[in-house]
Amino acid sequence: MMHTEKLYYADPNLREFTARVLSCQAVKGGYQVELDATAFYPEGGGQACDLGTLDQANVLDVQESGEQIFHLCDRPLPVGEEVVGKLDWQRRFDLMQQHSGEHIVSGIVHTMFGWHNVGFHVGSDRMEIDFDGPITPEQLQLIETKANEAVWADLPILCWYPSQEALPNTFYRTKKELPWPVRLVQIPGIDSCACCGVHVTTTGQIGLIKLISCVKFHQGVRIELCCGGRALTLMQQIFEENRLVSQLFSAKMLETGAAARKMADALAAEKLRANKLQTALFDKIADQYTGQTNAWLFQPELAPAQLRELADKMADRCSGWAAVIGGSEGAYSICIVSRSADVKPIGLALGAKGGGKSGFFQGSLPSTEQEILQILGEITNNS
């Protein structure tokens, strides 16, 4: 059985290559193609596989099995013939930026706090790294600063296999001892870690590392971040959103937070004032029904919570029950309250969909105003 030559390790910047087709067989989802050499990185080590083309065939997936690498293609390729492989370079470079950025952050966290990376996932626009210890907001900011300092230093990213004799005396970040051979990825002064992925050549190619959030996860934390082109796109989006906010608040772009807080305080004060006015208004409305047995009222503009508040006040002044209806024709909401009787039968008689307990019912009414008034009148006359 022939081994596939791993061109992606020899030159991670290789975008196009020529290889011979060793086998091609139909499988679920397409055709499984094996080459004598490939620059397509197979899925593994937390890094997604490369995509691209082999001649006219689209490469849909790449997986490694032992020393063999299989490319899932959308059409067959002739066995024994040479084909030209072309990588989706934008995708590959993005994945390398994310993976190399993850190594920098994980190395810094391990050096500063001793926490291990216990989970790593690259999503479509962001990454997640799980660590087995706590990180405060202040520490997160320091980690981000140090990570970008490592980017600006444009350090070399070294990938190699230590000899069997050298491995036990070679430091690398790991939670358990690994059997030889072990491929190490080292960023001088920042990180040394066992890794089978592909990386950019120098840290400067990462461009930017942005830590987005840090939340408690299991016994440690989960950091959300993005690097390189993804980080640039995110910052451009945030900048545009902040520009719009600054225009709406008539505030400078670095003062939108203060403007938002001022607006929130003003809205809270207005809400409190409106609630006081609403309570006073509801009291005035309810006073009109003092001494009545049963009462009902249409108030189309009221929300369900307001229906309940007004019906409560009316029920305090009635000896029977009080009903308040809001909404519009064919889509009304109703709240019925009584201090002395079960009002659920009234709701059911109206055909309302809802529920409650003795003395309270709230639900929706797929009826017209005329139909509702007719039924309420009949209920009152029969009581």
Side-chain angles (χ1 to χ4, degrees):
M1 178 173 58
M2 233 178 132
H3 295 176
T4 305
E5 184 181 356
K6 299 175 179 179
L7 302 176
Y8 49 81
Y9 280 163
D11 182 3
N13 294 306
L14 186 63
R15 308 183 188 194
E16 184 174 323
F17 66 98
T18 301
R20 190 175 303 279
V21 178
L22 298 179
S23 65
C24 178
Q25 62 183 40
V27 295
K28 184 178 180 180
Y31 296 86
Q32 183 175 275
V33 175
E34 183 183 5
L35 306 174
D36 64 353
T38 186
F40 285 91
Y41 178 76
E43 180 182 16
Q47 185 167 332
C49 69
D50 289 326
L51 302 178
T53 59
L54 290 172
D55 279 356
Q56 301 305 310
N58 292 306
V59 177
L60 310 175
D61 188 26
V62 186
Q63 297 292 328
E64 185 172 17
S65 178
E67 294 298 323
Q68 295 175 287
I69 296 174
F70 297 104
H71 310 72
L72 180 65
C73 298
D74 63 354
R75 65 189 66 186
L77 293 173
V79 176
E81 297 293 320
E82 283 194 340
V83 292
V84 175
K86 295 181 180 180
L87 274 64
D88 177 343
W89 181 250
Q90 184 175 356
R91 172 187 168 87
R92 157 65 86 80
F93 188 65
D94 166 65
L95 292 173
M96 291 198 299
Q97 284 183 316
Q98 308 315 309
H99 201 164
S100 298
E102 176 268 319
H103 273 241
I104 289 177
V105 172
S106 295
I108 289 171
V109 169
H110 187 265
T111 299
M112 290 179 64
F113 311 110
W115 309 141
H116 291 285
N117 175 333
V118 292
F120 168 47
H121 171 70
V122 181
S124 59
D125 61 346
R126 300 177 184 187
M127 275 190 298
E128 294 174 342
I129 313 176
D130 299 335
F131 293 101
D132 56 4
I135 294 174
T136 67
E138 295 75 19
Q139 291 169 338
L140 189 73
Q141 190 172 45
L142 179 59
I143 293 165
E144 181 179 75
T145 298
K146 288 184 173 294
N148 282 287
E149 287 174 350
V151 171
W152 305 331
D154 198 25
L155 302 168
I157 298 181
L158 312 172
C159 306
W160 86 103
Y161 287 91
S163 68
Q164 191 168 5
E165 295 74 26
L167 182 62
N169 300 315
T170 303
F171 170 79
Y172 60 97
R173 178 167 50 87
T174 182
K175 297 182 291 296
K176 61 181 181 179
E177 187 176 346
L178 300 174
W180 185 84
V182 176
R183 181 174 182 266
L184 298 185
V185 174
Q186 185 180 64
I187 304 170
I190 301 296
D191 188 39
S192 182
C193 179
C195 177
C196 63
V198 284
H199 295 267
V200 293
T201 307
T202 68
T203 59
Q205 291 180 313
I206 299 170
L208 174 66
I209 296 175
K210 181 59 189 172
L211 307 188
I212 302 167
S213 67
C214 181
V215 297
K216 182 173 175 56
F217 186 73
H218 296 320
Q219 301 303 311
V221 295
R222 169 170 287 177
I223 292 179
E224 188 180 35
L225 69 156
C226 57
C227 305
R230 296 190 190 192
L232 174 61
T233 298
L234 175 66
M235 299 313 295
Q236 288 173 334
Q237 292 170 342
I238 292 173
F239 181 90
E240 179 60 20
E241 289 296 318
N242 195 47
R243 185 184 67 81
L244 295 174
V245 171
S246 72
Q247 289 178 349
L248 291 171
F249 285 159
S250 298
K252 295 179 181 179
M253 291 189 69
L254 294 181
E255 297 174 358
T256 52
R261 282 192 295 272
K262 183 178 178 180
M263 179 63 75
D265 291 342
L267 288 173
E270 284 299 309
K271 184 177 180 180
L272 179 62
R273 189 172 73 90
N275 286 338
K276 289 180 178 179
L277 289 173
Q278 176 181 284
T279 298
L281 177 60
F282 283 0
D283 282 331
K284 288 287 186 183
I285 294 173
D287 285 344
Q288 300 173 32
Y289 299 93
T290 300
Q292 291 192 23
T293 303
N294 303 319
W296 59 84
L297 173 66
F298 275 84
Q299 288 289 335
E301 69 279 4
L302 297 186
Q306 294 171 318
L307 294 178
R308 178 169 184 171
E309 183 179 350
L310 181 52
D312 256 332
K313 290 181 177 295
M314 289 171 60
D316 285 338
R317 293 157 172 84
C318 296
S319 59
W321 50 263
V324 183
I325 302 104
S328 56
E329 197 80 354
Y332 286 111
S333 295
I334 188 169
C335 184
I336 313 169
V337 181
S338 174
R339 301 293 181 237
S340 59
D342 182 5
V343 295
K344 185 175 181 182
I346 300 174
L348 296 178
L350 288 164
K353 297 179 180 178
K357 55 186 177 181
S358 181
F360 172 79
F361 180 90
Q362 191 161 9
S364 59
L365 279 172
S367 309
T368 66
E369 181 176 350
Q370 184 178 355
E371 291 169 339
I372 295 168
L373 289 173
Q374 181 180 345
I375 297 171
L376 287 175
E378 292 173 354
I379 293 171
T380 300
N381 292 332
N382 294 330
S383 60

